[in-house]
Amino acid sequence: MKREYQTALILFGIAFLVRGLFAVPGFSDPGLLMRPDSATYLAPAQALLEYGHYGHGSFPTALRVPLYPLLLTPWLWLDGGTAGTFCILTNLILSSLAVPLIWLSCRELGIPEKHSLFGTAVYLLTPTPVALAPMFLSDGLFGTIAALEMFFLICFLQRKESRWLYLAAISGGFGVLVRPLNLLWILPCLFAVSFQYRKNRRKFLKDGVIATLLFACIFSPWLLRNYVRGFGWRIDTVSADSLKHNAAIVESRRTGIPAQHFRDAYEKHFQDQLSANPKQFRTADDELTYREKYLSAILKKYLGTYLKGFFHPVNFIPDVPSLLENLGLSRGNKGTLDVIINQGIFAGVKHYFNGKYWLLILLIPLCLLLLAGYFLAIFGFFSMLWKKKWFLPLLFLPLGFYYITVTGPVAYPRFSLPILPYISLLTAVGLQLLQERKQEGKINTTSERNF
């Protein structure tokens, strides 16, 4: 097993180097690695340094869950309070850790080294995780958390020792503190492992309760903190903002009007209500509750359109734009998402690149690697179903479905990050099964010649 960990360390080094090379311009201009949401992660870290509390300036905040800002804080101090080299290196380290975890998951399953390496390479070299690694967003860290969850679950299903399930639950709890979409992760997790307990339901009940308690214990103190601070029983306050984006996209799809028009209209409505009824909105909880009810009513009104938007292919397109923007070769905020929503992916690509397709050609090898990974993952998945090997399909289906749907109709390539470790694992399996099929074909051909 020592060899496996040596290879894991080498793969981590390669991942760090590759991600660092694509982030070189950002070291001299960190603004290239910033996105509109970046300030909401940096502000709490800066408030911790300046005011000693988790806030936005001198005011407490619950806009973002705390783990990523907390991890940035000491390095932000070394950078002099402004995001710079140390913070970028931290982002690269946190994101690169997913790569050795995927490798170890493959080897835990007994997948041969060369197939495991190819599956791991899908995550290592795909534009989306490479682009997000140095950026000041929590997505890179969340990709590592998803890989850690997967590794512990694979160890549990292989070794049948409860402690691995407990470790998976703890990592899932930390995932909630990185991105709130992990809040219900324990449900598909327990569903995925329940088949291991089909002969011992009492043990499943015991382990399930312990895992759920461990999962909840990780983020419950933060939840209580938010309640005490007047934000209600919320893990964060960005959920209302997510509803705003979902509602705007739903209305945009129905009308063809850009989603930004509806987002602006919602904000105007909320500000008008706040000004007209100040007594109704005495706390942040009151305002958030009103926002959530108003936006949820829109989603319920157009429920069919809302549900249809859950499976948007944009999530699985490699995030070439972010990679190019990190390198300073392109820029964002062109309204590309609205074009994709209303006119389709190809129209969105045409709109974004505006004739500069040579930028896309530069990254075609990495995109082709991801495409090969998708095909092999699909082949591996259905081959296992055909062979009645339920192990990975029963792991991938509930967790994959959860991560695909939990973000709603809002579509960004970065939302594929928590699914990519599972796709990488299935890629390794698919490559192994494809080679086995070819070898079986050669054996059968040789046998026929002998007869």
Side-chain angles (χ1 to χ4, degrees):
M1 200 64 181
K2 184 179 178 182
R3 176 184 168 88
E4 310 299 342
Y5 287 99
Q6 288 175 341
T7 305
L9 187 61
I10 293 170
L11 287 169
F12 169 76
I14 294 171
F16 180 83
L17 180 63
V18 169
R19 283 149 173 72
L21 287 173
F22 278 98
V24 166
F27 283 99
S28 56
D29 181 9
L32 292 172
L33 305 176
M34 301 287 183
R35 295 300 182 268
D37 288 347
S38 297
T40 63
Y41 294 105
L42 289 169
Q46 290 166 335
L48 280 167
L49 291 176
E50 189 171 351
Y51 299 101
H53 70 89
Y54 191 90
H56 190 94
S58 59
F59 299 98
T61 184
L63 181 64
R64 295 290 181 185
V65 284
L67 187 55
Y68 175 59
L70 286 174
L71 291 173
L72 276 184
T73 301
W75 313 108
L76 192 66
W77 176 74
L78 287 175
D79 279 326
T82 303
T85 299
F86 285 108
C87 287
I88 296 170
L89 290 173
T90 301
N91 289 338
L92 291 171
I93 291 169
L94 294 174
S95 302
S96 299
L97 286 170
V99 172
L101 288 168
I102 293 168
W103 158 260
L104 291 172
S105 298
C106 291
R107 297 298 290 144
E108 181 69 26
L109 278 176
I111 301 170
E113 283 191 359
K114 60 180 180 179
H115 303 136
S116 297
L117 284 171
F118 186 84
T120 305
V122 170
Y123 195 95
L124 196 158
L125 294 172
T126 289
T128 304
V130 172
L132 285 160
M135 289 165 60
F136 289 92
L137 297 171
S138 64
D139 298 84
L141 173 59
F142 192 63
T144 294
I145 292 288
L148 185 64
E149 294 166 354
M150 182 182 76
F151 172 67
F152 286 141
L153 286 174
I154 292 290
C155 288
F156 168 69
L157 294 170
Q158 284 288 90
R159 305 182 190 188
K160 299 175 175 58
E161 297 173 1
S162 298
R163 62 188 174 122
W164 295 106
L165 176 60
Y166 302 156
L167 288 171
I170 291 169
S171 63
F174 280 113
V176 177
L177 294 178
V178 177
R179 290 204 65 197
L181 61 83
N182 232 43
L183 191 58
L184 298 177
W185 170 88
I186 194 66
L187 300 178
C189 168
L190 291 178
F191 179 82
V193 304
S194 63
F195 297 93
Q196 284 284 83
Y197 294 93
R198 58 187 179 276
K199 295 181 180 178
N200 193 343
R201 294 298 177 185
R202 182 174 293 181
K203 192 171 190 305
F204 173 61
L205 182 62
K206 173 194 167 187
D207 284 351
V209 168
I210 293 173
T212 303
L213 289 173
L214 289 170
F215 173 74
C217 280
I218 301 299
F219 59 83
S220 291
W222 175 254
L223 195 65
L224 181 61
R225 175 263 186 194
N226 288 346
Y227 176 76
V228 171
R229 292 286 188 178
F231 298 110
W233 291 106
R234 292 178 175 84
I235 199 69
D236 70 351
T237 60
V238 82
S239 55
D241 195 57
S242 298
L243 282 174
K244 180 179 71 176
H245 287 289
N246 282 323
I249 285 174
V250 167
E251 294 214 76
S252 177
R253 284 179 179 157
R254 289 187 62 85
T255 62
I257 299 172
Q260 187 60 47
H261 167 81
F262 293 102
R263 286 192 286 268
D264 293 340
Y266 301 152
E267 281 301 324
K268 184 179 185 306
H269 170 78
F270 296 142
Q271 292 304 320
D272 290 345
Q273 289 295 314
L274 190 63
S275 300
N277 305 290
K279 292 183 179 180
Q280 184 182 341
F281 304 107
R282 293 184 178 180
T283 66
D285 183 28
D286 295 333
E287 184 180 346
L288 290 165
T289 300
Y290 178 81
R291 283 174 173 257
E292 289 164 356
K293 287 182 178 179
Y294 179 85
L295 295 166
S296 296
I298 295 172
L299 296 178
K300 289 176 183 177
K301 183 179 178 181
Y302 304 119
L303 188 59
T305 306
Y306 175 62
L307 293 176
K308 279 196 301 184
F310 271 54
F311 302 96
H312 207 290
V314 170
N315 288 351
F316 297 95
I317 294 175
D319 197 356
V320 170
S322 289
L323 203 54
L324 294 173
E325 289 162 26
N326 290 354
L327 294 169
L329 297 175
S330 184
R331 62 179 183 82
N333 300 319
K334 298 179 180 180
T336 305
L337 183 60
D338 286 332
V339 176
I340 290 173
I341 290 168
N342 295 309
Q343 300 177 41
I345 292 172
F346 292 107
V349 171
K350 183 179 179 181
H351 172 83
Y352 181 85
F353 288 98
N354 194 27
K356 297 179 180 178
Y357 295 112
W358 63 271
L359 292 172
L360 181 59
I361 292 170
L362 288 174
L363 298 172
I364 278 181
L366 301 186
C367 297
L368 290 177
L369 175 65
L370 178 61
L371 185 63
Y374 284 156
F375 279 120
L376 286 169
I378 292 169
F379 174 78
F381 180 83
F382 285 104
S383 293
M384 283 186 291
L385 289 180
W386 180 259
K387 294 174 180 285
K388 296 183 179 179
K389 294 182 177 179
W390 312 112
F391 183 94
L392 278 181
L394 289 174
L395 179 65
F396 176 78
L397 276 176
L399 291 165
F401 180 82
Y402 176 75
Y403 280 130
I404 288 169
T405 59
V406 72
T407 55
V410 177
Y412 294 105
R414 60 192 175 98
F415 289 166
S416 69
L417 267 186
I419 311 167
L420 272 177
Y422 296 91
I423 291 174
S424 297
L425 187 66
L426 284 169
T427 297
V429 171
L431 185 59
Q432 179 185 359
L433 293 175
L434 186 63
Q435 187 172 45
E436 288 176 0
R437 177 173 287 191
K438 285 183 177 179
Q439 289 173 346
E440 289 172 3
K442 288 179 181 178
I443 293 171
N444 291 336
T445 302
T446 303
S447 300
E448 288 172 7
R449 287 174 182 171
N450 290 337
F451 281 104

